[in-house]
Amino acid sequence: MGFWGDVLIFLAGLWAGTINTIVGSGSLVTFPVLVALGYSPVNSIISNAMGLVAGGFSGAYGYRREAVSAKRTLVKLLPASLVGGLLGAFLLLHLPESVFGYVAPVLIVVAILLVIFQPRLSAWAKARQSLEHITPEQADLQKIPMVLYILVFLIGVYGGYFTAAQGVLLMGVLGVFFHGTLQQSNAIKVVLSLVVNLVAAAAYLLFAFDRIDWLVVLLIAVGSTLGGFLGAGIGRRMKPIVLRIVIVILGVVALANLLSKLFHG
């Protein structure tokens, strides 16, 4: 499509950067656009992931205050995301693309259920631990359960493999196993997603350089950077219930998209 195709990629990057910062699933905007424009699926995944790194930085900067309030938790969870992202990138470069179509829908269903039932599950967990009135500062000092490390690692693997909807998954598990505010969880989600995309991008540079379309990377990078700033401002002002509704809606969209690809090729 030439010029108009480039404009479409830029706009997709802008929207992806915005919703990635708020909840995630930005790749479900950019990836279908790239495939529709004729780029191969693997090249689309790789170029898309690299382009969204820039948007991740701007989103993380936008949520810097909330990230600082949860810095201890972030430092503990970062290694799990880093190793998971590296493994996911390795799998992308070595496994058939069809594998993703069978695994991802299950993960999305789990994420949607976690987000929907998060208030009740979180209240139950807090009641058991006498954390009903916990402050953000106290939340950052809590002992992280091993199951959260495992889930963050697995989401990192998934994110390094495809990137789409890892934010939805992270918000789901953090809502249940991290007892901070929703905005703290959002900040942790933004930073962990950035780490996964960053290490995956480094792996692509080293082992799949010939598959990278640099024009696509540039267009998505510029668009997602602007979108990241927009998303941080929008997300911080949203009420928890609104943010949760957006997460569920995008999760359902992600699921429909993946199931469509699975059953219709």
Side-chain angles (χ1 to χ4, degrees), residues 10-108:
F10 169 79
L11 293 175
L14 179 67
W15 177 234
T18 302
I19 64 173
N20 264 346
T21 304
I22 300 175
V23 289
S25 298
S27 291
L28 294 175
V29 176
T30 47
F31 177 70
V33 167
L34 293 176
V35 173
L37 290 174
Y39 295 91
S40 72
V42 171
N43 291 14
S44 297
I45 292 170
I46 292 173
S47 300
N48 171 63
M50 294 192 65
L52 289 177
V53 167
F57 275 111
S58 64
Y61 179 79
Y63 266 104
R64 62 193 179 279
R65 293 199 302 271
E66 291 82 359
V68 168
S69 73
K71 60 183 178 181
R72 291 181 178 83
T73 303
L74 265 173
V75 169
K76 293 176 182 178
L77 293 177
L78 275 174
S81 284
L82 191 151
V83 176
L86 285 173
L87 178 57
F90 174 84
L91 294 175
L92 173 65
L93 299 176
H94 292 83
L95 291 179
E97 292 179 49
S98 58
V99 173
F100 168 80
Y102 295 98
V103 176
V106 177
L107 296 176
I108 299 300

Side-chain angles (χ1 to χ4, degrees), residues 53 69 87 99 107 113 139 155 161 163 170 173 201 216 226 228 238 265:
V53 167
S69 73
L87 178 57
V99 173
L107 296 176
L113 291 176
I155 293 169
Y161 184 67
T163 75
L170 283 170
V173 300
V216 170
L226 296 174
M238 294 179 91

